[in-house]
Amino acid sequence: MIKFDAKIPEGPLTEKWSIHKRSVKLVNPANKTKLDIILVGTGLAGAAAASSLGELGYNVKAFCFQDTPRRAHSVAAQGGINAAKNYRNDGDSVYRLFYDVIKGGDFRAREANVYRAAEVSNQTIDQLVAAGVPFAREYSGYLDNRSFGGVQVSRTFYAKGQTGQQCLLGAYSGMMRQVAKGKVTMYSRRDMLDLVVIDGKARGIITRNLVTGEIERHAGHCVVLATGGYGTIYYLSTLAVGSNVSAAWAAHKKGALFANPSFIQIHPTSIPQLNDYQAKLTLMSESLRNDGRIWVPKKKGDARAANDIPEDERDYYLERRYPAFGNLVPRDVASRAAKERCDAGYGVGKTGLSVYLDFKDAIKKQGKKAIENKYGNLFELYYKITGDNPYEVPMRIYPAGHYTMGGLWVDYNLMTTIEGLYAIGEANFSDHGANRLGAGSLMQCSGEGYFILPVTIGDYLADEIKTPRISTDHPEFEKAEKEVKEKIDKLMAINGKQTPTTFHKRLGKIMWDYCGMARNEKGLQKAMIMVQELEEEFWKDLKVSDSAKELNQELEKAGHVVDFFGIAKLMIQDALNRKESCGAHFREESQTPDGEAKRIHSEYSYVAIWEYLGEDKPHTLHKEPLVFENVELKERSYK
Amino acid sequence: MNITLEIWRQKDAKSKGKFVIYKLNDVSEEMSFLEMLDFLNNTLISKGESPVAFDHDCREGICGSCGLYINGWAHGPAHLTTTCELRMTKFKDGDKITIEPWRSKAFPVIKDLIVDRSVFDKIMQAGGFISANSGAAPEANSIPIPKDNADAAFDAAVCIGCGACVAACKNSSAMLFVSAKISQFALLPQGKTEAKERARKMVAKMDEVGFGNCTNTGSCETRCPKGLKLTHIAKMNREFITAKIVAEKST
C-alpha cells in the first residue's frame, strides 16, 4: 500500500507558509548548478516555474507537445486572475479570498494549501506587472479590478478577455530569457510517454519526438509535471483539442496517487454544439454574466425567435431561483440550472440544448459602446462562430466540460506520492476542492510556479546534491523505453477500421451522459460497462494510419485515447463512491427537496485518493480526512 | 456542398513536396475550415491513404498554432480571422480551394502543412522579455501607468505568434511580430530600461535567422488575425535607431 502524508506545517493557518519557508532546507548556489530538473508542460504554471527555477541556478529541461510554450492552453483563459490586494477598499483580505475559495470548492479542499494560494496571490500580481503584463487600468493609471464568478468583492485583475494569454506570454518571456542564459533547455514537440522511477525516486521521462517519431530518454534529479487537466475526456470541451491526461496517467501508473478524479467543472457559458463534426466547444467568458441575463421561454418548446417572446413570457430562472446572486451564481449552480431547464423541455435552439444570454437590458441601460468596451472581443468571437450578432439577438449558451479540480495528489510541498515527482497547476488536485471559482486557475498556476515550487523543491533537492548526474543507461530507462515501444507497436498492429477520434467521441458521449453534470448510481454502473466494452472494441478495431517512425498525429491521438479509457473508469469509480452531492459533483440521489446539491459532511469530508493496482483491476481507495479548523462549515447557499 | 481541394503534400523536411487534388463531397456549411480538413482526413484514412498533417490546438483563435495559406491568403479570405476561426460559409458549392503551408525560408516545412516556426522563440530569447526575476518586483500599483499607454501596450501584446505576417510578406519579413513585442515593452515603464538594447538585439537576431526586410507594402497588417498595426514597426525603428546612435556615441 502506498503511504501518503500531507505534511501540513504546524502553527496557526496564517503562519504556516512563513514557518515552512524558514524551516525548509536550502541548496547553495554552487550546488544548484549541479542539479537537473525535468519539467513537463509549459503553460502558465510550467513557464513560471521554468523561469523561476532557472533564475535560481538549476538546470531545467522543459518539454511541451506544442511547437512553442506560448501555445499552451493557459493562453485561452479569458476572465481574469484573482488577488487579495483590496485595491477597491471593499473589505477584501487574504482571509476572505481563502474563505471564498474554500466555500466555492464546497469544503472539499485543504485549508493550508488554499490559504497559501491566497497569500501568494498579491506577490503574483506584482510579478506579472513587472514582467510586462498589460492588465487593464483606470484613468488614474492604477490597476483596475472587476467582480467575477460568485464573489461579492472586486478582486479580479484582467486584460480584456485575454488575461490567460497575457499572463502566459509574461511567464513565457521570462522563460525565454532563461533559455538564452542556458539555464532552461526547451524540448518542444515532445509527448511524455512514461515516467522513469529509480529506487523509488522520479529520475526521468521517456518522450516521443513528434517530428521524427524517435523515442528518447531524459534524466534529471527530479521531475515536475505541469501538464494541465483532462476536460477533453468529454471529447467536446472548452479545452484545446491536444490537451490530454497521458503524462499524469503515466505517473499514476508508476505510483502517484490520483485525487478526486470525478471533480470536473462544467462551465455554464459555452457556445452550444452546432453539429456532429464539431471538434471543440468555445467558451464565452463568465464575465458576460455580469451584464447578461439568462432566460428561457416560460412555454415548453416555444419555437418563436427570441426577440418575439414578450418580457412576461420569459423565465429568468437564475434570478428566480437565486435572488441574492441571480445570474452571478457559481459555475456548478449555473450549469445545473441550465441543464434542468433544458431537460424539462424549455431549452432553445434547433436541438433544445441551449439557453439565452441576453444583453438587451444592459445595452439599454449602459449603451452599446460601454458593452462593446467590456465584451467587444467576445461578441465578435461569438458572431464569427454562430453568425448571430449578440448586440441584436441574445446569445445561445450551454454548459461544457472545462476544468478538472481533481488531479495528482500532492502534499503541501506539491510533491506526489512518488519521491521527487511534483505536480503543479491544473495537473494537481490541491486548491479548488469540488468546484473552482472564476479567475482562480491563473492565480493557482502562477502562484505555484513563481513562488511555491521554487521554495519547496529545494527542500528535496538539498538531499540530492551528492547524487551525480543521472545516467539514461540505467536499466529502469531501458525497461520504460521498451514498454513504450511495445505499446506503440501494439497500437500500430491492430489494423482495424475506426480512427482514434471515433473512439474518443464515443467515449466522450458516454462520460458526458452519465458522468457529466449529474450522476446517479444506475447510470454510473451502466457507464462503467459501456466504457469497458468500448475499450475492448478499441483494442480490436483501432486504425492508426502511416508509421510510428514519422510525424503521425493519428498515433498521438491513439496514445491519448488509451489513457482516457483509464481515467474514465477511475472517474466513474470515484463518482460511484461519493454518494453525496458537492460542488461540480451532483449525485441525483443526494439533493434537497428543491433540487439543490446536498453535501453529506459527516461521511464524505475527505479527499478520495486512488491507488492503481494494475490494468483491469479496480483502484483502491484511500482517504485524506479534511479538517476545518478555521472556517465554519456552512450550507453553500446562493439564494 | 461539393468542393475540390488542392493541398500541398510533403512527407518530411527532406522530401520534395507536390500539390495533390482531392474531391470532397457533402461538406456542411456549418463546419469550420479545420473541421472540413478533419472530415477530409477521415475519408482519406478510411481509403487507406495518409491524412494531411496540419498544426492546430485551441481552435478558438488564441494559441497561434494553426496557419494555412488558403487560396493565396494567409489564414484564408476572411478578415481578422485565424484559420481555425474560418467557417465554410465563406465558400460555396463547386469551389476549388488551394491550401499551402506558410512559405518562408525561415519557416521550413516539417510535413504537409506544418512548418517549423521555432525561430520566433529564438528572437524572443534574444531580448523579448523584461529582466524581472521572480520575487524582485515592487508592489504592482507603485508605478501608475497612464491608461492610454497600458491600452496601447495591450494592443501590441495581442500577437499570437502565428507567423501570418511573415507568410503574407513578399520579403518574408518578421517586422510586425518583432515590433509588436518591442512596442509593448517600450510603452511600459517596466520595460523602458532595456528598450533600446532589446530593439537592437531582437532586430539583429531577426536578420540572423533569415527573415527579410520591410519595404512597407503593408501586407502583414492586412493579414494579421489580431489586427496589429504597422505603426509598431515605426516605433521599433525609432527604438532601434536611437539605440544605434547611443551605441555610436559611447564608442
Side-chain angles (χ1 to χ4, degrees), chain A residues 52 55 68 70-71 85 87 126-127 132 141 143 166 172 177 189 241-242 275 280 384 546 550-551 553, chain B residues 11 30 50 54-55 57-58 60 63 65 80 111 121 133-135 139-141 145 157 159-161 184:
Chain A
S52 307
E55 286 160 16
T68 152
R70 64 180 296 153
R71 315 237 187 264
K85 288 282 195 186
Y87 285 160
D126 299 343
Q127 182 63 37
L143 288 155
Q166 294 308 316
Y172 156 79
R177 175 171 163 243
R189 294 196 193 267
V241 296
N275 58 62
K280 75 156 282 169
K384 269 186 205 164
D546 301 324
E550 60 185 312
L551 191 153
Q553 294 172 317
Chain B
K11 195 168 167 37
E30 285 187 342
S50 177
F54 60 92
D55 262 333
D57 199 23
C58 78
E60 55 182 83
C63 78
S65 296
L80 294 174
K111 181 175 184 175
D121 282 346
N133 279 3
S134 305
E139 208 286 328
N141 252 351
I145 304 175
C159 169
I160 56 172
Q184 178 199 340

Side-chain angles (χ1 to χ4, degrees), chain A residues 378-432:
Chain A
L378 295 169
F379 277 33
E380 212 174 283
L381 182 65
Y382 183 87
Y383 174 69
K384 269 186 205 164
I385 292 177
T386 63
D388 286 339
N389 180 356
Y391 293 104
E392 281 153 21
V393 294
M395 285 183 178
R396 286 197 303 113
I397 51 156
Y398 197 65
H402 183 55
Y403 181 92
T404 42
M405 283 73 70
L408 292 170
W409 182 89
V410 289
D411 64 15
Y412 190 73
N413 291 321
L414 306 176
M415 196 196 278
T416 68
T417 45
I418 298 175
E419 241 188 297
L421 177 71
Y422 293 81
I424 57 174
E426 191 179 349
N428 74 28
F429 88 106
S430 73
D431 288 1
H432 305 295

Side-chain angles (χ1 to χ4, degrees), chain A residues 66-120:
Chain A
Q66 300 91 345
D67 65 328
T68 152
R70 64 180 296 153
R71 315 237 187 264
H73 202 56
S74 307
V75 85
Q78 295 172 350
I81 172 166
N82 283 339
K85 288 282 195 186
N86 192 29
Y87 285 160
R88 286 298 183 89
N89 198 26
D90 55 2
D92 201 8
S93 63
V94 168
Y95 182 86
R96 206 178 274 278
L97 172 53
F98 149 77
Y99 180 78
D100 283 342
V101 174
I102 285 278
K103 178 191 170 199
D106 224 355
F107 304 95
R108 291 291 174 267
R110 237 187 241 151
E111 276 192 342
N113 283 57
V114 176
Y115 193 86
R116 177 178 63 183
E119 208 176 338
V120 300

Side-chain angles (χ1 to χ4, degrees), chain B residues 17-58:
Chain B
K18 61 168 191 223
F19 280 107
V20 177
I21 307 254
Y22 300 98
K23 298 251 181 231
L24 191 61
N25 295 340
D26 303 321
V27 173
S28 158
E29 267 209 344
E30 285 187 342
M31 289 177 181
S32 73
F33 193 81
L34 293 186
E35 283 157 11
M36 181 276 291
L37 285 182
D38 292 338
F39 180 57
L40 167 74
N41 279 344
N42 231 353
T43 39
L44 292 179
I45 293 167
S46 62
K47 284 193 284 187
E49 291 177 40
S50 177
V52 180
F54 60 92
D55 262 333
H56 63 100
D57 199 23
C58 78

Side-chain angles (χ1 to χ4, degrees), chain A residues 437-566:
Chain A
L437 287 184
S441 179
L442 296 178
M443 171 183 87
Q444 182 213 346
C445 286
S446 43
E448 289 181 352
Y450 280 126
F451 299 117
I452 300 174
L453 183 75
V455 173
T456 59
I457 207 167
D459 195 43
Y460 174 74
L461 289 174
D463 293 330
E464 291 289 329
I465 51 175
K466 288 190 187 131
T467 310
R469 197 143 272 167
I470 311 295
S471 160
T472 54
D473 293 334
H474 192 280
E476 287 298 334
F477 273 96
E478 200 91 36
K479 193 172 147 234
E481 184 183 309
K482 191 166 159 268
E483 281 168 10
V484 160
K485 284 182 169 163
E486 281 168 4
K487 184 171 154 187
I488 290 173
D489 290 344
K490 199 174 155 195
L491 288 168
M492 298 301 302
I494 302 170
N495 217 0
K497 288 209 161 51
Q498 301 180 64
T499 61
T501 304
T502 312
F503 284 104
H504 191 179
K505 274 188 187 175
R506 291 171 65 192
L507 175 66
K509 177 89 172 60
I510 300 170
M511 296 305 285
W512 182 249
D513 287 347
Y514 299 104
C515 198
M517 269 185 284
R519 297 117 186 232
N520 63 55
E521 179 119 10
K522 237 173 97 188
L524 288 166
Q525 280 163 348
K526 187 173 162 194
M528 184 65 102
I529 295 168
M530 289 169 83
V531 170
Q532 284 163 348
E533 284 171 356
L534 187 63
E535 191 179 13
E536 269 174 47
E537 191 182 329
F538 174 89
W539 287 108
K540 281 184 200 138
D541 198 32
L542 175 74
K543 183 184 179 70
V544 181
S545 48
D546 301 324
S547 87
K549 299 254 163 24
E550 60 185 312
L551 191 153
N552 187 338
Q553 294 172 317
E554 290 299 300
L555 177 61
E556 293 165 31
K557 288 185 225 168
H560 297 158
V561 173
V562 171
D563 300 320
F564 280 133
F565 279 119

